[in-house]
Amino acid sequence: LSNQGAGLNLKLKHKIPKNTLIVGLDNQIELSDNNSQSSFTQTQNKGQKYSVSLYAFDSIKFVDWFSLGLGARGDFSYFMIQGHTGMNFSMGTINYNGYFETNAQKPQWGYAAEITPAFHYGDSGVVYLKGEIGYTSPSVREVVSSDLNYNATSTGVAPKIPSNIEPEQYFTGEIGWREYFKNSSLSASVFYTHTLNEIRHRLDGFRVTYFNIGQTQRLGAEIMGRQTIASVLELVESVSYLYTNVLKGKSSIAGGTSNGGFIEGKPIPYAPLFKLTIGANYEILHKGENKLSLWINNSWNGNQVDYNQVDMNANGYFLSDIGLNYKYRHFNLSAGVRNVFDTFYIAYQSSSISSTAGISATYLAGASRSYFVDMRLNF
C-alpha cells in the first residue's frame, strides 16, 4: 500500500492597519496504490482523488479591545478507483472464480465557515469565542467497500462497490483564553463538537466496509504551554481530556444494513480519553536566510474502546517522532522518522466479550516506524 500527494496552493494576502484579508485557492491530488495478496485473495486497486478548494479569511480589529475573524471555504473533490479484487485459484478439488473488476467514480462537495470574536486585555491577553462549521472529506480508499450481500462461499472474496460514504460535517463551539509572557505563553480552551456522518470502517475477514455514524458528540478541554529558551530552543506541552458519546448509530452502508455495530449512548470507539504531548524545536543553524532546526514530538494516548466497547490499549501508548527542518527563503525541506521506537499499539480490533477469552478477534497494529520527506515551495 502506498500513498502519494501533491498540490498547488495559491494565496493572496492584503493587509491594512486594522484589517487583514486572505484569499486562497488550493489544488490537491492524492494517489493510492493498494496491492496485496494472500493464498486466497489478491487486490490491485489504483485510486485518484482530485480536490479544489476556494477559501477566504478576514480579520478585523475594530478597537484595541475587540477583533473579529470571519472565514469560509468551499471544496469540490472527484474520486476514481480502478483495479480488481480476488483471483482465480484452486484449493483441492474446488475451483474458485473470485476475480471482480473495480471501477468507481464519485464527485463530492464540502463547505466550512467560522466566526471568532476576541476580547483583548492588557498587553497580550485575549479571551475568544469560536463558532465553526467544518467538514472532513473521505480519503481515496474510503469510497469503495466490499459488498456485504454477496455470498463469497464459492469465490473467497466479494466484489467492491461504491461505499456511498458522505463527508463528515461537524459543528464546534469553543471558549478559550491565551496569555503571552516574556518568553512563554499559556492557553486553555473548552469545546463542544457535534458531528454528522463520522467516517468509520469495519473488517469482516477479507472484507472491508466504510460507513458513516449518524451523530456523535465530543466535549473536551485542553491546556497548552510554550517556552522559549535562549532564543534557540522552544518547548511545547499540552494535556487534553475528551468525553465522547454516540448519539445515533450507523447509517446504512453499501451492500448492508445498520444492524449491530455502534451502541448509542456509549463512548465513540477509538477516541482516547486523555492525551499528553511534549515537543521541542532546537535551532541548529541560523545564518543569513538559512535556517536548520531539529524537532521532536512525543505523545501519550490514553485508553480507548472498540466497536463492542471492549477496552483496547488499556494502559495507553507512547509515540515519538523526530526530524530536521531546513528553510531558505521560500523553500522548505523536512525529513524525519515517525514512531522512532517502533512502538506496538492496536489501531483496530474487531472483538466481542467472548473474544476476550481467546475465541476469536481481528487485530490491526498501528503504523510502525516510517520515514518521510516533505518539500514545499512558497511563491
Side-chain angles (χ1 to χ4, degrees):
L1 175 65
S2 65
N3 289 282
Q4 297 176 329
L8 176 63
N9 305 319
L10 306 175
K11 183 169 67 175
L12 176 65
K13 183 177 180 180
H14 178 67
K15 186 174 182 179
I16 58 178
K18 292 188 176 183
N19 184 276
T20 301
L21 175 64
I22 299 174
V23 179
L25 180 67
D26 291 349
N27 297 273
Q28 303 287 338
I29 179 173
E30 178 187 351
L31 304 177
S32 177
D33 194 353
N34 185 8
N35 296 317
S36 61
Q37 183 172 340
S38 69
S39 301
F40 306 99
T41 185
Q42 182 186 67
T43 298
Q44 292 184 355
N45 290 325
K46 293 182 180 293
Q48 299 90 37
K49 176 185 177 182
Y50 302 94
S51 300
V52 57
S53 301
L54 178 65
Y55 66 90
F57 182 81
D58 195 11
S59 178
I60 310 167
K61 191 165 187 178
F62 294 95
V63 291
D64 290 341
W65 58 270
F66 179 72
S67 63
L68 180 66
L70 298 167
R73 173 186 286 267
D75 177 274
F76 173 75
S77 299
Y78 191 80
F79 301 83
M80 293 187 297
I81 308 292
Q82 290 182 325
H84 75 269
T85 299
M87 59 184 178
N88 300 323
F89 65 95
S90 298
M91 180 179 293
T93 60
I94 303 176
N95 295 320
Y96 290 89
N97 182 13
Y99 186 92
F100 302 100
E101 295 284 347
T102 303
N103 191 341
Q105 295 84 35
K106 182 180 179 66
Q108 199 166 81
W109 294 90
Y111 64 90
E114 71 170 75
I115 179 171
T116 309
F119 304 88
H120 306 265
Y121 67 91
D123 295 329
S124 57
V126 60
V127 176
Y128 67 88
L129 307 174
K130 184 177 182 179
E132 180 181 5
I133 300 174
Y135 69 93
T136 301
S137 178
S139 70
V140 66
R141 288 182 293 145
E142 293 170 336
V143 298
V144 292
S145 290
S146 300
D147 187 351
L148 295 182
N149 285 334
Y150 184 85
N151 187 345
T153 302
S154 62
T155 59
V157 295
K160 296 288 187 179
I161 59 177
S163 63
N164 298 327
I165 204 80
E166 296 294 332
E168 292 184 11
Q169 193 78 53
Y170 60 86
F171 307 87
T172 295
E174 181 178 336
I175 301 175
W177 164 81
R178 184 169 55 248
E179 178 68 82
Y180 293 92
F181 305 98
K182 183 177 181 180
N183 294 312
S184 62
S185 66
L186 184 65
S187 63
S189 63
V190 177
F191 68 88
Y192 173 81
T193 298
H194 189 106
T195 303
L196 306 177
N197 299 321
E198 185 167 328
I199 298 172
R200 293 292 177 171
H201 74 279
R202 187 180 71 191
L203 297 180
D204 182 14
F206 293 111
R207 298 186 297 182
V208 184
T209 56
Y210 295 95
F211 59 90
N212 297 109
I213 311 174
Q215 297 182 42
T216 62
Q217 64 179 355
R218 291 169 168 83
L219 177 63
E222 182 180 37
I223 299 175
M224 176 180 293
R226 188 183 301 266
Q227 305 86 36
T228 301
I229 302 174
S231 300
V232 296
L233 177 62
E234 183 180 59
L235 304 177
V236 180
E237 313 86 25
S238 71
V239 56
S240 62
Y241 167 81
L242 188 65
Y243 164 82
T244 68
N245 184 258
V246 178
L247 298 174
K248 183 178 179 181
K250 291 186 300 187
S251 60
S252 61
I253 58 179
T257 67
S258 59
N259 295 332
F262 287 98
I263 302 174
E264 295 179 2
K266 299 295 185 179
I268 300 173
Y270 308 107
L273 189 64
F274 288 97
K275 184 174 183 179
L276 305 174
T277 64
I278 300 176
N281 188 85
Y282 179 71
E283 191 175 86
I284 301 173
L285 172 69
H286 187 178
K287 187 175 182 180
E289 295 185 87
N290 292 277
K291 293 182 180 180
L292 178 64
S293 57
L294 171 69
W295 59 266
I296 184 170
N297 186 66
N298 306 285
S299 64
W300 177 82
N301 295 269
N303 64 298
Q304 307 160 49
V305 295
D306 67 8
Y307 292 109
N308 296 286
Q309 302 298 305
V310 176
D311 284 338
M312 55 183 290
N313 300 313
N315 296 318
Y317 59 92
F318 179 85
L319 297 177
S320 184
D321 305 331
I322 191 170
L324 288 170
N325 186 75
Y326 171 72
K327 184 176 181 181
Y328 176 74
R329 293 187 178 180
H330 304 294
F331 175 76
N332 194 87
L333 177 65
S334 297
V337 184
R338 303 197 188 280
N339 194 359
V340 176
F341 302 108
D342 205 18
T343 300
F344 174 81
Y345 63 98
I346 298 173
Y348 175 91
Q349 69 180 38
S350 175
S351 67
S352 63
I353 299 300
S354 61
S355 71
T356 60
I359 297 176
S360 64
T362 299
Y363 298 94
L364 289 183
S368 58
R369 184 188 298 118
S370 62
Y371 307 88
F372 72 91
V373 176
D374 181 83
M375 182 172 60
R376 300 188 182 191
L377 183 63
N378 300 318
F379 298 96

